[in-house]
């Protein structure tokens, strides 16, 4: 078992560093398919991977120019469960392709659709990528990992748990600014922003946090024992209290799940936590913890 907490100093320009890295690491291209379009930046956009709740759910693909097979990474966006879409992950998608991964930024159903709709959607994307047709189309090696940011980190963790006992488990998961515990007790951790409770209630489909039994099942900490190797990256003084990450890391430790918690000094949240130091850690983690 590998368990470690790493503290990093302030990471400088955050998202700006990510965008700079994308310019340097440009290898990203995929062949066009029905219902999709390929653009000069090498991103194949608008690929329908699932239909659910009357919605056509799409993903964007960033595949290295070099021949495969490639490790696949599914990117799950944030947005408080009610906003955002896959395009917020485009920079990360292209960055991962430049590092040699086949990356797929996915849409999922938003609030008012409640849990577990989002988990079902991302699980569907993983299963879709494991189909022989997609493995051949994108030059994949059969491994799939998840990266989620903020609300997307919660969904990514829950998806990894949900798929643990299926024919399409994921190899690893990276969670940026995840809340591991969504129960009423967790609301007392640290000093959470007042609006966070309303965000969680909408996701869970509950009226009050004290009368929300689904909160236990929807909390990644509950299913920590079923998680694959997990990398948690969290700001020391950000929107989601650091205690959330520490509780999840402790649950992973108790369950014997290989994991690492990287704590970045400051208030940066979600994708803002990605820069040179954490980017290197993420890439090394994905390579080490895949079936390739």
């Amino acid at each position: 078992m590998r368990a470690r907490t790493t503290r990093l100093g302030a990471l400088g320009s955050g998202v700006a560093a990510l965008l700079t890295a994308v310019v340097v690491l440009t290898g990203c291209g995929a062949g066009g398919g029905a219902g999709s379009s390929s653009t000069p930046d090498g991103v194949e956009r608008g690929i329908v991977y699932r239909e659910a709740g009357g919605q056509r759910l799409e993903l964007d693909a960033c595949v290295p120019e070099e021949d495969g097979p490639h490790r696949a990474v599914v990117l799950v966006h944030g947005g408080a469960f009610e906003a955002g879409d896959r395009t917020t992950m485009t920079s990360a998608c292209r960055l991962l392709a430049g590092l040699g991964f086949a990356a797929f930024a996915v849409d999922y159903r938003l609030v008012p659709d409640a849990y577990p709709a989002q988990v079902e959607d991302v699980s569907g994307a993983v299963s879709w990528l494991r189909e022989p047709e997609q493995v051949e189309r994108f030059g994949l090696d059969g491994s799939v990992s998840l990266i989620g940011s903020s609300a997307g980190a919660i969904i990514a963790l829950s998806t990894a748990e949900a798929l643990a006992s299926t024919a399409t488990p994921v190899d690893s998961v990276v969670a940026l600014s995840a809340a591991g515990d969504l129960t009423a007790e967790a609301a007392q951790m640290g000093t959470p922003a007042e609006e966070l409770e309303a965000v969680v209630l909408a996701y869970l489909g509950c009226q009050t946090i004290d009368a929300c039994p689904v909160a236990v099942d929807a909390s990644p900490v509950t299913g920590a024992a079923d998680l694959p190797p997990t990398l948690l990256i969290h700001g020391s003084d950000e929107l989601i209290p650091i205690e959330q990450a520490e509780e999840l890391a402790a649950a992973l430790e108790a369950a014997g799940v290989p994991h690492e918690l990287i704590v970045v000094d400051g208030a940066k949240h979600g994708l803002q936590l990605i820069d040179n130091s954490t980017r290197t850690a993420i890439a090394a983690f994905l390579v080490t913890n895949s079936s390739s």
Side-chain angles (χ1 to χ4, degrees), residues 166-260:
T166 72
T168 56
V170 298
D171 292 76
S172 61
V173 59
V174 177
L176 306 167
S177 300
D181 192 338
L182 307 181
T183 65
E185 291 74 15
Q188 310 305 314
M189 290 184 186
T191 54
E194 292 182 3
E195 64 269 20
L196 288 181
E197 183 172 317
V199 168
V200 170
L201 287 173
Y203 172 57
L204 299 178
C206 295
Q207 295 299 313
T208 67
I209 197 67
D210 294 317
C212 188
V214 72
V216 175
D217 288 340
S219 295
V221 69
T222 301
D226 293 323
L227 289 175
T230 300
L231 174 60
L232 305 172
I233 304 179
H234 216 89
S236 63
D237 187 31
E238 64 151 279
L239 178 67
I240 308 297
I242 186 62
E243 288 85 355
Q244 284 275 355
E246 292 171 342
E247 182 190 14
L248 182 53
L252 292 165
E253 175 75 15
V257 176
H259 67 283
E260 183 174 353

Side-chain angles (χ1 to χ4, degrees), residues 25-36:
L25 300 168
T26 55
C28 182
S36 65

Side-chain angles (χ1 to χ4, degrees), residues 92-190:
C93 185
R94 294 182 61 216
L95 172 59
L96 285 165
L99 294 172
F101 301 95
F104 303 87
V106 302
D107 281 338
Y108 53 82
R109 283 172 285 175
L110 301 173
V111 168
D113 287 299
Y115 171 88
Q118 296 79 8
V119 176
E120 293 170 351
D121 294 340
V122 179
S123 296
V126 173
S127 299
W128 183 82
L129 286 170
R130 286 267 169 75
E131 295 173 356
E133 179 183 354
Q134 312 313 329
V135 170
E136 181 178 0
R137 174 182 181 181
F138 298 110
L140 307 180
D141 70 358
S143 67
V144 180
S145 296
L146 300 172
I147 297 179
S149 172
S150 192
I154 299 172
I155 297 167
L157 289 163
S158 294
T159 298
E161 176 196 347
L163 292 175
S165 60
T166 72
T168 56
V170 298
D171 292 76
S172 61
V173 59
V174 177
L176 306 167
S177 300
D181 192 338
L182 307 181
T183 65
E185 291 74 15
Q188 310 305 314
M189 290 184 186

